[in-house]
């Protein structure tokens, strides 16, 4: 998607601190981290929101969670704990309209 910030990050048009890449998933450090570990995990295919992923393509969400699990170990928060979240649309707090999951950890997060 030409005007999408995260599509530009995937194709290297906009630089990012990449932490993982395979054929279908890309992950990088959040530019404005809310905790010592704050990563964004995204599908390479552009979907504006979770609502836009067709039922028969929802397997990408399991793949994303598998990468999240690996990154949690790599970044040392698997045992201490971390939070995984995705914001959907305006009232959900979504700002960038390319599906992304936040992996946040490295400090005590509020309940
Ligand atoms: P949202 O509120 O849409 O769930 O989260 C978007 C996230 O993307 C925010 O945490 C924000 O800090 C991050 N972000 C926005 N622009 C950039 C950027 O250009 N590079 C990186 N690495 N992160 C970004
Ligand atoms: Zn995109």
């Amino acid at each position: 998607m030409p005007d999408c910030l995260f599509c530009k990050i995937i194709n290297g048009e906009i630089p990012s601190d990449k932490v993982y890449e395979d054929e279908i998933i890309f992950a990088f450090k959040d530019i404005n981290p809310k905790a010592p570990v704050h990563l964004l995990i995204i599908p390479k295919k552009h979907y504006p929101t979770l609502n836009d992923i067709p039922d028969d393509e929802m397997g990408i969400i399991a793949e994303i969670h598998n990468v999240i699990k690996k990154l949690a170990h790599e970044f040392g928060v698997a045992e201490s704990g971390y939070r995984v979240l995705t914001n959907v649309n305006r009232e959900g707090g979504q700002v960038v309209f390319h599906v992304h999951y936040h992996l946040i950890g490295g400090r005590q997060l509020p309940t």
Side-chain angles (χ1 to χ4, degrees):
M1 184 64 70
D3 286 332
C4 171
L5 174 67
F6 285 177
C7 283
K8 287 180 180 169
I9 284 178
I10 291 165
N11 70 28
E13 245 181 280
I14 292 175
S16 71
D17 207 339
K18 180 172 85 174
V19 297
Y20 179 86
E21 181 174 15
D22 64 26
E23 284 177 8
I24 55 172
I25 291 167
F26 193 91
F28 53 104
K29 292 186 180 177
D30 195 292
I31 205 167
N32 183 23
K34 303 276 190 292
V37 177
H38 189 167
L39 308 177
L40 298 173
I41 301 88
I42 68 178
K44 284 189 171 174
K45 183 168 176 181
H46 180 91
Y47 307 98
T49 81
L50 184 62
N51 297 334
D52 302 303
I53 304 180
D55 289 356
D56 65 352
E57 296 181 31
M58 282 297 282
I60 188 64
I61 300 303
E63 299 288 346
I64 285 172
H65 277 253
N66 199 29
V67 170
I68 287 170
K69 185 177 69 171
K70 290 188 172 90
L71 287 170
H73 279 100
E74 193 178 317
F75 281 80
V77 297
E79 301 309 323
S80 53
Y82 59 97
R83 184 163 292 167
V84 177
L85 65 92
T86 189
N87 297 321
V88 180
N89 277 334
R90 184 173 46 86
E91 291 189 1
Q94 186 174 9
V95 172
V96 179
F97 284 81
H98 179 128
V99 165
H100 53 279
Y101 278 73
H102 298 255
L103 189 173
I104 300 170
R107 69 170 169 83
Q108 180 63 52
L109 298 169
T111 53

